[in-house]
Amino acid sequence: MVRTAPILPVSPKRHLNFWISRIIALIIVIAISVCSLSSCLYLQYGQNIQSFMNNLSKQVQSSQLYYASTDPQTIYSRVTGKASDDTDPLSDTNVSYWHTTDPGAADQSATCLFKDGSLHVTIQTPQALFYCTSGQVYKQFAFQVNYAILQGLGGGIVFRTSNSDHTYYLWNLDTSGAYRLMVISNNRLVSVLLEGKHISSFKTGYNQENVLTVIAYDSMILLYVNKHFVDRVKDNSFASGEIGLLSYNGDTTTDVSFTNAKVWLLS
């Protein structure tokens, strides 16, 4: 036999309390969920920002070149790996901005003239040097040029040159790869900053093309031959000036050819 129990009426007060307790519980669950979600978002966002800032700091530090202490081959790769700011093939007087001498002048003892697709700097005066400049003034830069000694003693680069004061840095190299970096003032030797009897990467002899690179940043000067580091030095003698191509003579005529001049501006 099945017995049915009468349905007891629910008092309005108990019914209201039931729903109030349910709503409060739901509010508590939602509040906990929202707080947990916001905490997770905050932690995730904060962690992402911190990670981003750390990565940015590392990128900034890695992008800075300390010319006195950074590995010199790294400096070379970073500087010359970009497109150059000034480029001159030094092959034609009609497109070149470099200064040349008058081919029709009576005195041809020292000349800068285009010949056979290159700029020739020639000096006939014994125990003398001669250079021609680009006419452009640079402060912090990298300068690179291909050169070959065709006859005579040697050639090289001058930089931070002031023609009015006759002051400049002079880097000369002979056919054996012996070199000197000197400070010149009033056309007189002030000091020898660097020198060496031979550079291992240098191609010796006549008609041998070598790539010379000088990087000058503030007081730091770095030298390279055929993309290989030679040496660096700190000197405050000159802060800015023109760049030039050099020929220096012994007892006979010296002829040096130059091609493919490039300049990178440093900041």
Side-chain angles (χ1 to χ4, degrees):
M1 182 176 68
V2 177
R3 299 180 60 182
T4 59
I7 298 176
L8 299 177
V10 179
S11 67
K13 184 175 181 180
R14 290 181 60 190
H15 185 269
L16 180 62
N17 290 339
F18 171 81
W19 286 110
I20 289 175
S21 63
R22 288 290 187 273
I23 292 171
I24 291 173
L26 181 61
I27 291 173
I28 291 172
V29 170
I30 292 173
I32 293 173
S33 300
V34 170
C35 290
S36 299
L37 178 61
S38 63
S39 297
C40 289
L41 288 174
Y42 174 78
L43 289 174
Q44 183 178 5
Y45 177 76
Q47 290 172 349
N48 287 341
I49 287 293
Q50 185 63 43
S51 177
F52 172 78
M53 293 304 294
N54 289 339
N55 290 335
L56 180 61
S57 176
K58 290 178 181 179
Q59 291 175 10
V60 170
Q61 290 177 5
S62 64
S63 67
Q64 293 175 335
L65 290 178
Y66 299 95
Y67 292 85
S69 58
T70 300
D71 172 63
Q73 287 301 143
T74 299
I75 293 175
Y76 179 87
S77 298
R78 292 275 293 279
V79 169
T80 62
K82 304 180 297 181
S84 58
D85 295 285
D86 290 328
T87 301
D88 191 328
L90 300 177
S91 59
D92 187 349
T93 186
N94 295 318
V95 297
S96 178
Y97 58 82
W98 281 74
H99 294 163
T100 57
T101 56
D102 182 1
D107 184 5
Q108 294 292 312
S109 60
T111 60
C112 289
L113 297 172
F114 286 97
K115 179 183 177 182
D116 300 327
S118 64
L119 180 57
H120 288 245
V121 183
T122 307
I123 176 73
Q124 297 180 13
T125 307
Q127 305 300 321
L129 62 85
F130 182 66
Y131 63 85
C132 53
T133 61
S134 66
Q136 311 295 314
V137 174
Y138 302 104
K139 184 177 182 180
Q140 301 181 149
F141 64 92
F143 174 50
Q144 182 169 282
V145 68
N146 297 12
Y147 98 126
I149 303 170
L150 305 183
Q151 68 177 95
L153 187 55
I157 294 172
V158 296
F159 56 98
R160 289 182 174 171
T161 301
S162 171
N163 291 327
S164 59
D165 298 331
H166 304 291
T167 58
Y168 48 91
Y169 290 106
L170 185 153
W171 181 26
N172 64 354
L173 306 93
D174 65 20
T175 55
S176 70
Y179 71 95
R180 300 173 89 189
L181 176 65
M182 297 173 281
V183 176
I184 307 295
S185 180
N186 295 318
N187 286 328
R188 295 181 179 275
L189 174 63
V190 175
S191 62
V192 177
L193 300 177
L194 295 170
E195 63 180 327
K197 294 183 178 180
H198 178 67
I199 300 171
S200 59
S201 60
F202 187 87
K203 299 175 184 177
T204 60
Y206 292 113
N207 301 298
Q208 296 294 318
E209 186 175 74
N210 288 280
V211 182
L212 307 182
T213 308
V214 57
I215 297 177
Y217 186 88
D218 289 340
S219 60
M220 291 305 304
I221 300 171
L222 297 90
L223 307 179
Y224 300 82
V225 169
N226 295 326
K227 304 180 181 182
H228 293 281
F229 175 65
V230 176
D231 210 342
R232 63 179 153 195
V233 67
K234 184 175 183 179
D235 185 79
N236 295 302
S237 298
F238 315 121
S240 64
E242 297 184 49
I243 52 178
L245 306 175
L246 167 74
S247 176
Y248 69 98
N249 200 18
D251 297 324
T252 61
T253 298
T254 295
D255 183 16
V256 184
S257 68
F258 295 88
T259 58
N260 200 26
K262 296 181 180 181
V263 175
W264 292 264
L265 303 181
L266 309 179
S267 58

